[in-house]
Amino acid sequence: MKIDIQKLVRKNILNLKPYSSARDEFEGENGIFLDANENPFGVLNRYPDPYQKRIKQKLSVINQISADNIFLGNGSDEVIDLAFRIFCEPGEDKVLTFSPTYGMYEVSANINDVELINLDLNNNFQINLETFKPYLNDENLKIIFICSPNNPTGNSIQNIEYILENFNGIIFIDEAYIDFSPEESFKNKIKKYPNLIVSQTFSKAWGMASVRVGIAYASEEIIKFYNKTKPPYNISQLNQNEVLNALNDENIRLVQDDIKLILNEKKLLIQSLKELKLVKKIFPSDANFILIEVENADLIYQKLVEENVIVRNRNSVIKNCLRVTVGSPEENLKLIETLKSII
Ligand SMILES: *Cc1c(COP(=O)(O)O)cnc(C)c1O
């Protein structure tokens, strides 16, 4: 199956002459820079590298993926939004996702005036292939969003390979929680599937949510369209510096240790939750959060808030369910103590 990425791209993006920044036209490090109307005084006076080459170089070495297969966004939310802007003709094209899932696919679809097809996950929060199959032939279906491990359910999604083998549009796999999961990342399959975008983020396992940097791994062709469409200086120098500092061997070991600690805390938290009568069900999780079903989610959520413990009330999406992020040992203890006091 040969997929022509250009055929999937919107005509205006295909023909777009991108903004050419001063930093595009001259790339050297040394010189007297009188080309960008910057102020010669100050410390943050220069525009940042528009393509964040030093970060990509490091990510390339760490992940054994060419820098040409990497895009960096202002959070993965920008990576998601750009997918709409590159591939979806407003008022014409469609995207598909499996709910309940991350809310940004729908918000981005609405902002870009693109129809979103929402297929329900089954009782185990897995894709129902039989109801999905008819959509494989929809000419206007441009992107399928799959979040795995899925937010807010926590489980890894099965049968993704089937979709990769059978869909000719773009498959966007959101792996925001992959570092907590025993499953292997799909980023190693971008060579096999030129229509695959795998997004990851520095916001969760890396502990850098305030820095706002997300990653996309994809074929060189897709990455080129991302670079062409993005705002020229989408990642500030301050944010680039933070990520560069984080990408060293010692810090990577610290991040791995934190992940182990969080996963161990998750195990303890699940044990404690199991002993509580008001917890009706604990759903399996490959992420750093747990979805639980309780007797009366609205009430329990409110009681927790009164005690200054904030969880995510998902009652409107999955009846009587709360999503609980695994916190520090002290925070988790406080959650359990508070839940006990509610009984
Ligand atoms: C938290 C989260 C993200 C992260 O978004 P950023 O913009 O990178 O902070 C992406 N996808 C999902 C499913 C998430 O839960």
Side-chain angles (χ1 to χ4, degrees), residues 47 81 86 156 158 189 194 225 230 269 343:
Y47 280 103
D81 182 67
I86 294 166
S156 297
Q158 297 160 0
K189 306 226 158 146
F225 284 111
K230 78 184 184 80
L269 190 56
I343 314 166

Side-chain angles (χ1 to χ4, degrees), residues 75-77 102 105 147 151 174 176-177 201 203-204 212:
S76 12
D77 290 342
Y102 187 44
Y105 316 132
C147 187
N151 178 6
D174 186 336
Y177 300 98
T201 179
S203 295
K204 307 285 158 60
R212 310 305 307 131

